[in-house]
Amino acid sequence: MYKVLIVDDERIIREGIANSIEWNKYGFSLCGMAQNGIDAYEIIKQIVPDAVITDIKMPGMGGLELISRIYKEYPQIIFIILSGYGEFKFANKAMKYGVKYYLLKPCDEDEIINILKKIEIEKKEEEKKDKFLTDINDNFKKVLPQVGEQFLRDFIIGVTYSKVECEYFLRLFDIKETKFKLVVFKLDNGVDLLEKFALKNIAYDILNQNVVYLSTILDNNVLLLIKSIDLSILTDLLSQIKDIFNKYFKYNICIGVSNENSFESIQNMYLEVKECLKCEFYLGDNKIITEKIIEFNKSQDNLSDSTYNEMIAVSVKTGNIERLNLQLDSFFNMIYQEKVEIEMAKNYCIEIFLIILRQGDHKKVRGYAKGLYEIQDKSTLRQISGYIKYIANEIAKKNYDNNTENYGAIISTVINCVDNNIQNYELSLNWIAKKVLFINENYLGKLFYKHTNEKFSRYVVRIRMEKAKELIRSKKDYKFYEITEQIGLGDNTQYFSQVFKKYTGYTPSEYRKL
């Protein structure tokens, strides 16, 4: 329902119009009547009608003065002027206030109804237009952040905007500042859009809308164009953002901040921050970096030595995990100390990684091949070293288990060989290595000691002396020269007697009498 107010100093006219129309039938309701402009003005301020039917000449305040006042404050109100003969000059003045409906006194109800119908159509058209504009405005507000994201992204990647276009966008985003800073949040590779969106929202909450002007997402980076504020205050706020994000998401985040600069220098600010963020490789993740504090070394002189490669390969192959970890720590520390360029450092890490893979079972290490991509994706040397050490330890552990099993078989062969050849005068480590196992004598000696905690020569003496004790105590009453032969000492009974006494504390004769 549209509200109508009737204003006329003649009561009969006011009531005549009021009673002659079925207001509801035509979509209107009579909301009041006034006998002059002064009363009408107060009523209008209270109820704000949609249409006012007013006389021109009235005491106190006439119709034209009322229209001029209301036009300034409520331009949407539609006026219908009641005029008599000779008052058209006043009606013409009302036209400058947008008045276009006139009724000549005395008027009948059909004339009023006809105008009311036109006003209803006009009002509905206005409502449709207002709704359309409101919807457009609402939708524009919804897409404005996306427009801002695209604009900032374009500016950073080098899309050219004219001065006029830049000024338009600055007005559009209500940016009045002349100096800015660019903040770049660098996330791990593989982070989903959800986490990036969450980070951006956290940043807006902490920094608030008055500090952040524009934001966008570029690759794995969340970028904020902010007001230039004190660096110590900004660093504290960025730490809060990082802490809140890490509370909900277990991803590493590194933050870079540019120096203060103009809007036209955004691309340079971004390149400046990217250079700063490269320092993350050596500084480690979860850092706030405000300047480039590391100068990367392009020289490879101190890293070209292949000694590390050989030592690490041997440690993995033999399963010596303790030594392996010390060597890897030394290798990565050398890279850290040299501060070589990131790609060069990764190439060295990939090289050592491939050497480690070659020491494992070819079929089983195929699954580790994806590690090459893992290393390339890592943001810091610490992440790379942790990953490589984990894989190296896995392969070394498997090699150790396999070696232990193989070594156990070798040692069992040695022990069986000793047991079966104890009477053989030629029995020795050299003889077993060359005649039985076909391996290096020194290697076999070390392997035997490692698994038995006893030197091979001492082991053979012990077995021979235990065999001699057994023969001396037997009921067959062996002669000592027979015992000497049966334990592999040939006919050297004197040597046997010396060794036996050293082993038991008794001579063979004394031992037999016990």
Side-chain angles (χ1 to χ4, degrees), residues 273-389:
V273 177
K274 282 187 70 176
E275 285 299 309
C276 289
L277 287 173
K278 286 182 180 179
C279 298
E280 177 199 19
F281 186 77
Y282 289 107
L283 295 177
D285 42 45
N286 282 323
K287 295 288 190 298
I288 298 175
I289 305 172
T290 58
E291 58 180 331
K292 187 178 180 182
I293 58 177
I294 294 175
E295 289 297 328
F296 295 101
N297 181 10
K298 296 182 179 181
S299 173
Q300 307 180 44
D301 295 342
N302 294 335
L303 292 173
S304 57
D305 187 3
S306 62
T307 306
Y308 276 106
N309 299 1
E310 296 169 2
M311 292 191 303
I312 290 171
V314 171
S315 295
V316 176
K317 192 70 176 178
T318 59
N320 193 329
I321 294 175
E322 183 178 353
R323 186 172 62 190
L324 168 65
N325 286 328
L326 289 174
Q327 291 165 345
L328 285 173
D329 287 341
S330 180
F331 171 77
F332 289 116
N333 184 60
M334 180 178 63
I335 293 178
Y336 178 81
Q337 294 299 331
E338 289 297 319
K339 299 292 191 298
V340 296
E341 290 190 332
I342 295 173
E343 285 307 310
M344 191 185 300
K346 287 186 175 182
N347 287 339
Y348 281 115
C349 292
I350 288 173
E351 181 181 352
I352 205 71
F353 183 70
L354 290 172
I355 289 170
I356 290 168
L357 293 188
R358 291 191 197 107
Q359 311 314 309
D361 183 281
H362 295 302
K363 293 180 181 178
K364 293 180 180 178
V365 298
R366 286 178 183 172
Y368 295 130
K370 64 179 181 180
L372 298 173
Y373 301 102
E374 290 276 352
I375 292 171
Q376 285 291 0
D377 283 344
K378 300 296 183 188
S379 302
T380 68
L381 181 62
R382 183 178 180 181
Q383 292 173 3
I384 293 173
S385 65
Y387 178 76
I388 290 179
K389 286 178 72 174

Side-chain angles (χ1 to χ4, degrees), residues 441-454:
E441 178 185 355
N442 290 333
Y443 173 72
L444 181 59
K446 291 177 181 178
L447 188 62
F448 188 88
Y449 182 80
K450 180 178 180 181
H451 283 264
T452 64
N453 202 30
E454 187 175 22

Side-chain angles (χ1 to χ4, degrees), residues 195-207 222 224:
E195 285 78 15
K196 296 172 187 174
F197 181 74
L199 175 59
K200 194 167 68 166
N201 281 352
I202 293 169
Y204 269 92
D205 289 341
I206 298 297
L207 296 172
V222 174
L224 302 180

